[in-house]
Amino acid sequence: MASMTTGNSSRADANRRRILDVALAELLRDPDASMDQIARAAGVVRRTVYGHFPNREALVATLVDGAVEAVAAAHAAGRAGAEGPAEALAGGTLAVWEVADRYRILVALARRSVTLQGLRDRLAPVREACAEVLRQGLEAGVFTSALPAPAMAYVHEQLLFAVMDAVNDGLLTAREASRAATVTALTAAGVPASDATELVAKLSVEKGGPGG
Amino acid sequence: MASMTTGNSSRADANRRRILDVALAELLRDPDASMDQIARAAGVVRRTVYGHFPNREALVATLVDGAVEAVAAAHAAGRAGAEGPAEALAGGTLAVWEVADRYRILVALARRSVTLQGLRDRLAPVREACAEVLRQGLEAGVFTSALPAPAMAYVHEQLLFAVMDAVNDGLLTAREASRAATVTALTAAGVPASDATELVAKLSVEKGGPGG
DNA sequence: GTGCACTTGCACAGCAATGTGCAACTTACT
DNA sequence: AGTAAGTTGCACATTGCTGTGCAAGTGCAC
């Protein structure tokens, strides 16, 4: 057991992955899930988890690192090559939605937790990038809002989670949620509903989004 | 100590109130705040808290009851006498904002917590009332959205919290937040920005909101 | 200044979770 | 078969929180 971190058996590696996967889901369901709950859900004994991660904090940190990275990458990729703030906002939103399942846990964790407040900070760069896009849009007159750009970024973030909740509760399907969330995000930024719908439809087709 | 629930000394009553007040703030800061944290924050010993509330659950329940009631009442009052869905939505939003400080804890608690998941249900009536207003607005063509009315209600709710967070983080002042949040809520529902601003300005004056 | 209502300060039992140590056991590879 | 990495099943110490019991204290009212 000494070199469980360095050594690479197929089994050990698979277990590690599965523990991380399951932990993500389990912590989403209950941010206070115990190591035992996670271990059992992963089909493993608690002691084994401690073989892969020195403590709970390390496990969660690994999880958070991966999720933050994935979201940041998706957001950046979604904005790449966009023409104008509206396209950038829509593209980033659509892209982030792709990793939504993993993103959810982030905020579920960030909401509570004395232990994990650093997480909000970790996510700040993404929010700032978003705020910058919003700022440009306001300046260019593409966006309109009673709120300053940074506050709009907060709204944008929460708006996505609201739609995720709605999906979870069966109020709309995951298929339609992606575009609906993006349209709503643009609308909340003051883009006329018709323009927002049109833009998102165009981007969805380009990027090969769901439906047609 | 036998009749602390029935008897009424000025001191005991004041303590009870202060415990509830402080608990609200303390649980907002950390939904997992212990009885000891709450007690100390209220300038009291843990044992004393147990004199007023049989257990942690009862304390939180009292808190929740009060907050839910206040929010529901404010929401209803804000919609009273409104002409059309737009006014109803704006009025309800402005009114709810008044009790925002207490409302925040509700969702902070509802988000996590295996113990308190019933809270989301308790809040459901308010959300449903909101959804009904939204539905009427969609039907009347006053609102436009890619989302069904119930999902819009989710967005509406989260939008308010996003603005609250923004206020907490100093992105805008509490003074301007009330109207800005309401305008944004209307805008997210597809109401043109200019119309939304105008309507909210009118309502703010009528109801004697902040600023003018 | 006596009594009552409430508060305090301890002490206690109980529980749930964390993190470790160690001796078996199972796989997989050779 | 034999070896090594990984897994399991306990046992254990520790910690933090809950809820309760009881005796001594404090303030207010009459």
Side-chain angles (χ1 to χ4, degrees), chain B residues 26-203:
Chain B
E26 210 66 11
L27 288 173
L28 170 60
R29 206 169 52 79
D30 171 18
D32 283 330
S34 72
M35 292 294 260
D36 196 58
Q37 281 173 58
I38 294 171
R40 286 183 188 283
V44 154
V45 170
R46 188 170 67 98
R47 191 63 183 79
T48 301
V49 178
Y50 282 102
H52 289 282
F53 306 93
N55 52 40
R56 188 196 159 86
E57 200 182 340
L59 169 60
V60 176
T62 305
L63 233 41
V64 165
D65 285 354
V68 167
E69 198 177 337
V71 168
H75 191 235
R79 283 172 303 153
E83 294 176 9
E87 267 197 27
L89 185 65
T93 305
L94 286 170
V96 164
W97 194 269
E98 302 286 313
V99 287
D101 274 342
R102 294 180 170 270
Y103 193 23
R104 263 182 299 175
I105 180 61
L106 275 185
V107 176
L109 286 175
R111 285 242 164 238
R112 56 155 258 96
S113 158
V114 190
T115 339
L116 297 174
Q117 66 227 30
L119 196 149
R120 255 189 99 85
D121 309 331
R122 304 279 304 274
L123 215 46
V126 176
R127 205 162 33 226
E128 274 163 25
C130 183
E132 176 58 18
V133 170
L134 289 165
R135 196 192 59 71
Q136 288 173 8
L138 286 173
E139 198 169 294
V142 182
F143 298 152
T144 310
S145 178
L147 297 168
M152 289 177 72
Y154 278 43
V155 169
H156 183 74
E157 190 178 352
Q158 292 303 314
L159 191 149
L160 295 188
F161 289 111
V163 177
M164 287 182 204
D165 282 353
V167 171
N168 285 344
D169 292 3
L171 267 43
L172 74 167
T173 71
R175 268 181 72 87
E176 50 196 359
S178 159
R179 274 172 301 176
T182 308
V183 171
T184 307
L186 286 169
T187 308
V191 176
S194 54
D195 296 2
T197 307
E198 191 181 338
L199 173 58
V200 172
K202 180 186 130 201
L203 284 183

Side-chain angles (χ1 to χ4, degrees), chain A:
Chain A
M1 186 203 289
S3 60
M4 199 160 351
T5 32
T6 66
N8 270 6
S9 86
S10 57
R11 215 174 40 208
D13 217 47
N15 265 351
R16 195 191 138 93
R17 283 175 205 284
R18 193 148 33 83
I19 288 170
L20 283 172
D21 268 10
V22 166
L24 204 57
E26 210 65 12
L27 287 173
L28 171 60
R29 208 168 51 80
D30 171 18
D32 284 328
S34 72
M35 292 294 260
D36 197 58
Q37 281 173 59
I38 294 171
R40 286 182 188 285
V44 152
V45 172
R46 188 170 67 98
R47 190 64 183 80
T48 301
V49 178
Y50 281 103
H52 289 282
F53 306 94
N55 51 41
R56 188 196 160 86
E57 200 182 341
L59 168 61
V60 177
T62 305
L63 233 41
V64 165
D65 285 355
V68 167
E69 198 178 337
V71 169
H75 192 235
R79 284 174 302 151
E83 294 175 9
E87 266 197 28
L89 185 67
T93 305
L94 286 169
V96 163
W97 195 270
E98 301 286 313
V99 287
D101 274 342
R102 294 180 170 270
Y103 194 21
R104 263 182 300 175
I105 180 61
L106 274 186
V107 175
L109 287 174
R111 285 235 166 244
R112 58 155 253 97
S113 151
V114 189
T115 339
L116 298 175
Q117 65 228 31
L119 195 149
R120 256 189 99 85
D121 309 331
R122 302 281 303 276
L123 215 48
V126 176
R127 204 162 34 227
E128 275 163 25
C130 184
E132 175 58 18
V133 170
L134 289 165
R135 197 192 58 71
Q136 289 173 7
L138 287 173
E139 199 170 294
V142 182
F143 297 152
T144 309
S145 179
L147 297 168
M152 289 175 73
Y154 279 43
V155 169
H156 183 75
E157 190 178 351
Q158 293 302 316
L159 191 150
L160 294 189
F161 289 111
V163 178
M164 286 183 205
D165 282 351
V167 172
N168 286 343
D169 292 3
L171 266 43
L172 74 167
T173 71
R175 266 182 74 87
E176 51 197 357
S178 160
R179 277 172 299 176
T182 308
V183 170
T184 308
L186 287 169
T187 307
V191 176
S194 54
D195 296 3
T197 307
E198 191 181 338
L199 174 57
V200 171
K202 181 186 129 202
L203 284 183
S204 293
V205 172
E206 273 179 17
K207 311 237 173 175

